Amino acid sequence: MKDKVSLVIDGLEVTTEVGKTVLEAALENGIYIPHLCYHPDLEPAGVCRLCIVEIEGRGLTISCKTPVEEGMVVRTTGPEVEEVRRIALELLIVNHHADCLSCPKNTQCKLQEVANYIGIDEERFERLRKPERTLPLDTSNPFFLYDPNKCVLCGICVRTCDELQGVNAIDFAFRGFSTVVSAFAGRPLAESICESCGECVVRCPVGALIPKNFQQPSREVKTVCPYCGCGCGIYLGIRGNTIVSVRGDRENPVNKGALCVKGRFGYDFVGHPDRLTAPLIKKDGKFVEASWDEALDFVAGRLSRYRGDEFAAISSAKCTNEENYLVQKFARAVMGSNHIDHCARLCHAPSVAGLAQSFGSGAMTNSIDEIAYANCIFAIGTNTTAAHPIIGLRIKKAVRRGAKLIVANPREIHLCRHAYIWLQHRPGTDVALLMGMMRVIVEEGLHDTAFIEERCENFEAFRRSLEGFDLDFVERTTGVPREKIVQAARVYATDKPSTILYSMGITQHTHGTDNVLAVSNLALLTGNVGKPSTGVNPLRGQNNVQGACDMGALPNVFPGYQRVDDPDARRKFEAAWGCELNGSPGLTHMEIFDAIYEGRIKALYLIGENPMLSEANASHVEEAIEKLEFFVAQDIFLSETARLADVV
Ligand code: SF4
Ligand code: SF4
Ligand code: SF4
Ligand code: FES
């Protein structure tokens, strides 16, 4: 079948892909056709009528909804075309506020662009002009406002919220002249289910949806969102020395331009007045500002009193790879200690241990992009739309495509609205639920025998381990009706490719590693590993959990997961770093605080972490820190933990 077609637009022969519209073919070949309600990310709606063209043999038609055909002859201008466009434009513009100069969208407004192209007859326009609408603005959302007086009812925001976000927070309300975009029952946006992602705002072609306190940036800096493990690409808009905007990087393979509320609007911490601007040294119980030279000399002098196991460092998954590499190298090569760990211990250490045991590597087995193409998504222990919103979009995209979503979560999270099956198991019963599903799969012969024979070990022992998990027991233990367990097992095993997503609902348990092993076994049992859109995918909490682990900010491994007690690995790093290294695995995050409490560790360097908030037992952390001889905290704010330090 041909995948290209040729057509003639305004006398020029152009070639484009089958399935494109006439408008898209024209725009990609540099031929402008006025348009307002078209957006390349959305299904065409055909409401503004501005994109009208003449097609030979058919007459006038809107180009945004007309697919290209071989040999088609299109004219984008002509008396009839221009007359229809002029009327369509006038109908839009007579009701529109004419305060362009004070509008934040001035010079970037699609309505201005169209009006400039078509041309406005001022006299006729004044005659047509109705009294200006003075509808109240919806300013309830903390980040953006809606001005119905500027809204051209193109529906791009409504379709964005539906087609891309799957939220459906807004729609058209009222009729005719009174039509506006509104949340359900005319409630203010802040009282609706709107998630404040701002995706509608970035697509609004006019000044109707506008960020509050909008300022045009004078330059942009490409970087990565500082929040969750999705790792969305962003451009920071800078004016002077201040961040005034954020936009998603459309070239980034993870977010493809989309952002959630955190990434798009959560940047005010950067310029927050509470940011620390100078080093602090505690003197007589009070922090005193110091110069960098004074602080660095003081820290170096005090740390030189400690060597080996008397010293510990805690690094951070919010720091870059380079920073994590340096912290672990400092602990090992300078201080002679393997007591180096970071917050992954509190979130995904079971993933590192469990996945390394099952697959040889503690990372996602598949890429984020593949999620949208799975036929079954099993989301267990993850509130994805809240914690990893951009991955949540991939799930919703898959569901819209027809994929079946199984949600296993004790809480009725947002994803349940999109789920084919919701397994509401009791907290802490993940292993029982997963073993119950696997028993159904084995009993019904739905396991992938060829894959197991070729790729797995100890299947018979595994089969025997299922014996204790009959449906009576699993139903009683988990609280999930047996029919649902059977249904979920069948869907996961047969609607391939099936992918598993999990997060801290799986790992943050005393038996987190067992949970991870059970999740891995489910994928292996059904051959859902090593193929596109399958696998076992831990969704990481902070933005660089993976990198901090890869860089060796862990007590038992050098960078690249090379064990510190492996003499060959140690020799390699000794040669590279030019020093002798400690061959005993160090202590973990929690063990470090136990050792401090017991007086075995006397000096601590903490970077970018706040264990007074993140540790389960904050009192224990506080009591331990009080026993330290020397404590340095490196942070951008005076956090609860940094307050206890000798130097910040
Ligand atoms: S901000 Fe996001 S969730 Fe809210 S209305 Fe716009 S697209 Fe929908
Ligand atoms: S608010 Fe903007 S995007 Fe939504 S209908 Fe009005 S003009 Fe279109
Ligand atoms: S999904 Fe995560 S990485 Fe992406 S914008 Fe939101 S917080 Fe940032
Ligand atoms: S762009 Fe085609 S009808 Fe609006």
Side-chain angles (χ1 to χ4, degrees):
M1 207 177 109
K2 268 181 72 173
D3 55 1
K4 297 268 181 198
V5 290
S6 295
L7 65 158
V8 175
I9 306 179
D10 291 343
L12 290 173
E13 180 163 333
V14 301
T15 302
T16 189
E17 287 155 35
V18 172
K20 288 267 167 97
T21 64
V22 171
L23 177 63
E24 287 167 334
L27 293 178
E28 71 186 24
N29 284 283
I31 302 167
Y32 179 69
I33 298 176
H35 57 276
L36 207 52
C37 68
Y38 162 79
H39 193 282
D41 299 340
L42 303 168
E43 291 296 319
V47 294
C48 75
R49 323 301 287 177
L50 289 164
C51 67
I52 205 102
V53 293
E54 187 180 355
I55 297 180
E56 223 169 73
R58 287 197 208 173
L60 300 186
T61 185
I62 51 172
S63 58
C64 69
K65 286 196 98 170
T66 307
V68 288
E69 284 173 22
E70 184 65 38
M72 203 175 228
V73 178
V74 180
R75 276 185 287 280
T76 71
T77 58
E80 260 192 294
V81 167
E82 282 171 19
E83 182 59 16
V84 174
R85 270 192 204 144
R86 184 177 305 282
I87 292 169
L89 176 65
E90 282 172 354
L91 288 174
L92 288 172
I93 234 163
V94 286
N95 295 323
H96 193 85
H97 270 205
D99 60 347
C100 289
L101 284 182
S102 62
C103 177
K105 204 77 178 206
N106 190 24
T107 74
Q108 287 163 18
C109 170
K110 281 271 174 195
L111 188 60
Q112 280 181 337
E113 178 186 293
V114 171
N116 285 340
Y117 180 82
I118 295 175
I120 293 176
D121 178 341
E122 282 290 345
E123 212 176 290
R124 181 174 154 79
F125 179 64
E126 282 309 319
R127 260 187 290 121
L128 288 173
R129 200 160 178 74
K130 295 262 189 316
E132 273 190 2
R133 296 206 296 179
T134 48
L135 297 168
L137 275 53
D138 182 348
T139 57
S140 63
N141 185 285
F143 309 110
F144 59 87
L145 57 84
Y146 171 59
D147 181 352
N149 306 299
K150 289 182 181 167
C151 177
V152 292
L153 301 175
C154 66
I156 285 178
C157 54
V158 175
R159 282 178 283 143
T160 298
C161 198
D162 171 24
E163 291 174 29
L164 301 183
Q165 299 305 113
V167 176
N168 295 98
I170 48 176
D171 206 338
F172 292 117
F174 311 114
R175 296 269 172 104
F177 189 65
S178 306
T179 307
V180 289
V181 171
S182 169
F184 181 68
R187 309 289 303 165
L189 264 173
E191 293 174 26
S192 74
I193 55 171
C194 167
E195 294 172 355
S196 301
C197 65
E199 287 295 316
C200 54
V201 179
V202 290
R203 286 185 181 77
C204 177
V206 297
L209 281 166
I210 284 291
K212 285 182 174 172
N213 309 319
F214 176 80
Q215 289 186 67
Q216 195 68 42
S218 53
R219 66 189 168 97
E220 287 194 319
V221 176
K222 184 176 176 167
T223 183
V224 176
C225 172
Y227 290 99
C228 83
C230 290
C232 296
I234 56 174
Y235 282 93
L236 296 176
I238 315 287
R239 189 171 173 131
N241 199 24
T242 307
I243 299 172
V244 294
S245 65
V246 175
R247 74 177 172 91
D249 178 1
R250 288 185 86 87
E251 305 299 318
N252 185 288
V254 174
N255 58 318
K256 301 179 180 179
L259 293 176
C260 77
V261 58
K262 294 176 277 184
R264 190 179 306 285
F265 297 115
Y267 54 83
D268 46 355
F269 76 91
V270 178
H272 197 280
D274 291 351
R275 280 278 304 265
L276 297 176
T277 53
L280 302 171
I281 298 177
K282 202 175 264 171
K283 292 178 180 164
D284 300 325
K286 287 211 171 91
F287 281 120
V288 179
E289 282 199 6
S291 69
W292 278 104
D293 280 347
E294 184 189 354
L296 291 174
D297 285 348
F298 181 65
V299 169
R302 288 296 305 271
L303 283 183
S304 65
R305 300 180 195 171
Y306 307 96
R307 275 294 174 278
D309 288 344
E310 290 180 332
F311 173 82
I314 293 182
S315 191
S316 173
K318 282 218 168 285
C319 294
T320 62
N321 285 356
E322 291 80 358
E323 287 159 345
N324 275 293
Y325 178 84
L326 285 176
V327 177
Q328 63 84 36
K329 184 177 174 186
F330 175 73
R332 293 186 160 118
V334 179
M335 301 303 289
S337 170
N338 281 321
H339 301 329
I340 160 83
D341 206 358
H342 71 286
C343 59
R345 183 70 49 201
L346 309 175
C347 62
H348 271 288
S351 291
V352 176
L355 295 181
Q357 192 175 327
S358 295
F359 303 114
S361 165
M364 285 175 78
T365 58
N366 291 64
S367 70
I368 289 172
D369 217 23
E370 292 170 47
I371 296 167
Y373 306 101
N375 282 334
C376 170
I377 297 172
F378 183 25
I380 180 165
T382 158
N383 187 358
T384 326
T385 51
H388 301 90
I390 294 299
I391 294 180
L393 292 183
R394 296 291 208 291
I395 297 177
K396 289 191 244 180
K397 185 174 171 186
V399 171
R400 270 197 303 280
R401 246 192 51 247
K404 291 182 178 145
L405 171 64
I406 305 169
V407 174
N409 206 303
R411 284 178 54 213
E412 186 172 3
I413 55 173
H414 173 85
L415 267 188
C416 295
R417 283 172 54 190
H418 303 267
Y420 183 69
I421 305 168
W422 171 30
L423 306 171
Q424 191 179 19
H425 60 309
R426 294 194 182 102
T429 63
D430 304 87
V431 169
L433 179 69
L434 292 159
M435 292 296 268
M437 285 174 64
M438 288 191 273
R439 178 158 165 163
V440 172
I441 289 168
V442 171
E443 281 181 352
E444 298 194 1
L446 301 176
H447 52 298
D448 187 335
T449 316
F451 181 89
I452 293 166
E453 277 171 11
E454 201 181 327
R455 306 291 180 92
C456 304
E457 295 161 350
N458 301 328
F459 179 65
E460 279 315 313
F462 167 76
R463 189 200 288 270
R464 282 196 300 279
S465 73
L466 296 175
E467 279 166 13
F469 293 90
D470 60 82
L471 283 175
D472 282 341
F473 171 77
V474 175
E475 184 179 51
R476 232 178 19 253
T477 308
T478 63
V480 180
R482 62 178 58 213
E483 306 75 41
K484 281 199 167 183
I485 298 168
V486 172
Q487 190 190 16
R490 287 177 185 159
V491 167
Y492 176 79
T494 56
D495 282 45
K496 292 180 178 179
S498 299
T499 187
I500 300 177
L501 310 179
Y502 75 84
S503 194
M504 264 79 94
I506 279 290
T507 56
Q508 286 186 331
H509 292 269
T510 49
H511 52 281
T513 307
D514 294 334
N515 285 348
V516 173
L517 290 172
V519 161
S520 307
N521 283 342
L522 178 62
L524 290 166
L525 183 67
T526 50
N528 275 306
V529 177
K531 297 161 194 156
S533 301
T534 61
V536 179
N537 300 297
L539 308 182
R540 300 311 186 92
Q542 298 192 344
N543 52 353
N544 200 22
V545 177
Q546 191 67 53
C549 294
D550 293 350
M551 291 301 114
L554 295 168
N556 57 336
V557 288
F558 294 120
Y561 304 100
Q562 301 172 71
R563 296 191 60 86
V564 296
D565 53 6
D566 173 353
D568 289 343
R570 201 165 60 248
R571 267 194 295 278
K572 186 162 55 175
F573 282 94
E574 283 176 343
W577 293 345
C579 62
E580 207 174 306
L581 293 170
N582 184 338
S584 311
L587 300 175
T588 63
H589 203 292
M590 291 80 72
E591 290 167 346
I592 285 173
F593 283 103
D594 290 343
I596 294 172
Y597 188 80
E598 290 159 14
R600 287 181 282 134
I601 290 175
K602 297 185 168 60
L604 175 69
Y605 195 102
L606 175 100
I607 170 168
E609 290 271 309
N610 190 4
M612 284 291 290
L613 278 191
S614 56
E615 284 278 333
N617 188 347
S619 313
H620 177 59
V621 172
E622 187 169 10
E623 284 163 16
I625 288 176
E626 277 165 9
K627 295 186 183 220
L628 279 167
E629 290 179 10
F630 189 54
F631 174 30
V632 185
Q634 184 175 324
D635 209 314
I636 58 173
F637 287 98
L638 195 58
S639 69
E640 288 79 355
T641 312
R643 278 176 223 281
L644 306 175
D646 295 299
V647 182
V648 185

